[in-house]
Amino acid sequence: MHSILEMYGYDPDPFGIDGKDDAELSSRARCLTTYIGSLKRRLARFEDFFNRVDREALGRATVEEIIDHAGADDLRLQEATVELDDIEQSLMWRRLEKAHPGLFAGDDNPCWP
């Protein structure tokens, strides 16, 4: 019998964070921060363009294509933000574990007094 998590393909480490060291994760976090900033600027340009342009003159197909591209960028922004949050949280827990090794019982469950 399979669990629901196995049936639907649950991945406990979707970004491959567990297999990387702190330096690799820090480097990936810097890259993601740059990428997120780039996507935010691009979405701001989309918004600015849409506020200035006459949509009727562009035609429905062109407007729909622009909206599709903006939607795809928004999805990429959300995915990158989730990955960055996951990396930052992993780094925080690793640093906490190094600073206070007595808090952890070896199975990653905090042992609160």
Side-chain angles (χ1 to χ4, degrees), residues 14-55:
F15 303 114
I17 291 173
D18 291 340
K20 296 181 181 170
D21 64 1
D22 290 359
E24 288 175 307
L25 290 179
S26 295
S27 176
R28 179 68 180 152
R30 284 190 299 274
C31 290
L32 283 170
T33 301
T34 302
Y35 182 59
I36 288 168
S38 173
L39 287 172
K40 285 182 177 182
R41 287 188 299 276
R42 184 173 169 156
L43 287 169
R45 286 194 304 268
F46 272 128
E47 185 178 0
D48 183 51
F49 173 76
F50 246 57
N51 288 336
R52 290 184 292 119
V53 73
D54 180 16
R55 292 179 207 129

Side-chain angles (χ1 to χ4, degrees), residues 37-84:
S38 173
L39 287 172
K40 285 182 177 182
R41 287 188 299 276
R42 184 173 169 156
L43 287 169
R45 286 194 304 268
F46 272 128
E47 185 178 0
D48 183 51
F49 173 76
F50 246 57
N51 288 336
R52 290 184 292 119
V53 73
D54 180 16
R55 292 179 207 129
E56 297 296 325
L58 285 176
R60 183 180 176 100
T62 305
V63 170
E64 287 176 356
E65 187 175 333
I66 291 171
I67 291 172
D68 285 345
H69 284 291
D73 281 350
D74 189 49
L75 182 60
R76 286 186 202 104
L77 177 63
Q78 291 174 13
E79 290 172 345
T81 303
V82 167
E83 184 178 358
L84 181 61

Side-chain angles (χ1 to χ4, degrees), residues 2-15:
H2 296 286
S3 72
I4 292 175
L5 296 177
E6 291 171 351
M7 287 175 37
Y8 291 102
Y10 172 75
D11 185 0
D13 187 23
F15 303 114

